Amino acid sequence: MKKAINNALYYILFSFWYCISLLPLGILYLFSDFLYLLIYHVAHYRRKVVINNLTSSFPDKSEKEINEIAKQFYAWFCDYIVESIKLLSMSEKEAKKRMRFEGSELIRSSIDSGHSFSLYLGHYCNWEWITTLPITMGNIVQFAQIYHPLENEVMNRLFLHLRGRFGSVSIEMEKSFRTIVSWYKEKKLNGVGYIADQVPGYQSIHCWIPFLNHPDTPVFTGGERITRITESHPFYGYITRPKRGYYVCKFIPIEVDKDSKEKYLITKGYFKLLEQNINDAPQYWLWSHNRWKRTREVWEQMFTEEEKRRMMNR
């Protein structure tokens, strides 16, 4: 019975979203403007989290500057919502025009040399539109992205469809290691996207780095582990938004000193580039996420010295 109800709800929601997605982006942006008024001025959606994150990340900025960035963030976030809905019916021609990729020759060079590639991204600009990459690159490899299933089964199914429209597949986080390593053993070249700027659980913290004026930021390192085991070439997707409704993603190699014995160099290189991306235009990062809710003080208290050593040496 539950499955039947979820199926019915899915098709109802899909039909509703699809009909809305057929509207021109210009009209959808009018809805975005109205939504901005609701969530910023009326609902105050996560306003405290956003302001706290911005204030702690940019201590040199005035209260007026922080509030202005916050307003710009909410305006962009509402655009992200309608742009993601638009993706449900966007044609390949329009997607290629609105989401451009630069440096794709670097990706092709990696593939031509027999290497898969890892594309590190942040929750920055419209990350959903990055799934249009197969349109630009063609079916030269298996494109994929790692995702954490949504609790709502109907929404989860809808986003899986959305992200797979142009040939990319979604891999559950818990199955990512096994899936991608199996591709490597089968010599199946691939390009996998990792959005790794969220906060890991205390049990999954293996690395702390300085990030956006926070000296101890816990970060995910699973992407680096997979990248190294599969000998994939790591890139960062540096995204800019020239104007409303248009994005550019530039592929930047994450350079790593192969002779260095320092751990997590790819992860550190990724966060350095992400930080630069955010500093250039801070309004386009997902500030509503409580990024620094895990603290090193609590982590230190939770585990023994031996447990911490094992965790940090994984």
Side-chain angles (χ1 to χ4, degrees), residues 99 121-122 124-127 130 236-241 247-250 277 284:
M99 183 71 247
L121 300 160
Y124 188 84
C125 283
N126 195 321
W127 56 90
I130 301 297
Y236 174 72
Y238 198 102
I239 309 178
T240 54
R241 195 190 200 207
Y247 297 92
V248 178
C249 177
K250 181 178 181 180
N277 210 168
Y284 299 135

Side-chain angles (χ1 to χ4, degrees), residues 187-206:
K187 300 187 184 304
K188 182 178 181 179
L189 294 179
N190 57 82
V192 180
Y194 298 90
I195 298 183
D197 57 350
Q198 299 293 72
V199 57
Y202 279 112
Q203 296 280 355
S204 302
I205 296 174
H206 311 306

Side-chain angles (χ1 to χ4, degrees), residues 10 13-14 17-18 20-22 80-91 95 126-135 145 147 150 154-170:
Y10 169 73
L13 182 61
F14 180 93
W17 269 37
Y18 187 82
I20 294 177
S21 74
L22 294 174
Y80 158 79
I81 292 173
V82 300
E83 288 170 356
S84 298
I85 293 174
K86 182 63 180 177
L87 189 60
L88 197 58
S89 65
M90 187 182 289
S91 68
N126 195 321
W127 56 90
E128 302 294 350
W129 282 15
I130 301 297
T131 59
T132 64
L133 179 58
I135 298 174
Q145 56 272 337
Y147 84 104
L150 300 175
V154 175
M155 290 299 294
N156 186 63
R157 186 176 172 186
L158 184 60
F159 270 93
L160 285 176
H161 174 82
L162 192 73
R163 292 164 180 169
R165 274 201 64 214
F166 299 104
S168 185
V169 299
S170 297

Side-chain angles (χ1 to χ4, degrees), residues 39-69:
I39 70 170
Y40 181 76
H41 291 286
V42 179
H44 294 178
Y45 172 71
R46 293 203 171 190
R47 178 89 71 88
K48 185 176 180 180
V49 172
V50 171
I51 295 298
N52 285 344
N53 281 340
L54 285 168
T55 301
S56 61
S57 297
F58 304 109
D60 294 334
K61 292 187 181 297
S62 66
E63 182 179 351
K64 180 180 179 180
E65 289 174 310
I66 293 296
N67 287 330
E68 182 59 31
I69 295 173

Side-chain angles (χ1 to χ4, degrees), residues 60 71 119 122 158 162 165 176-177 191 194 210 235 246 283-284:
D60 294 334
K71 290 179 182 179
L119 180 59
L158 184 60
L162 192 73
R165 274 201 64 214
S176 58
F177 182 85
Y194 298 90
F235 293 85
Y246 293 86
Q283 65 269 31
Y284 299 135

Side-chain angles (χ1 to χ4, degrees), residues 5 27 35 115 130 139 173 228 255 262 269 278 310:
I5 293 175
I27 294 178
L35 186 61
H115 290 271
I130 301 297
N139 297 319
M173 186 181 296
R228 288 186 180 277
E255 303 291 349
E262 184 180 349
I278 294 170
R310 286 202 303 268

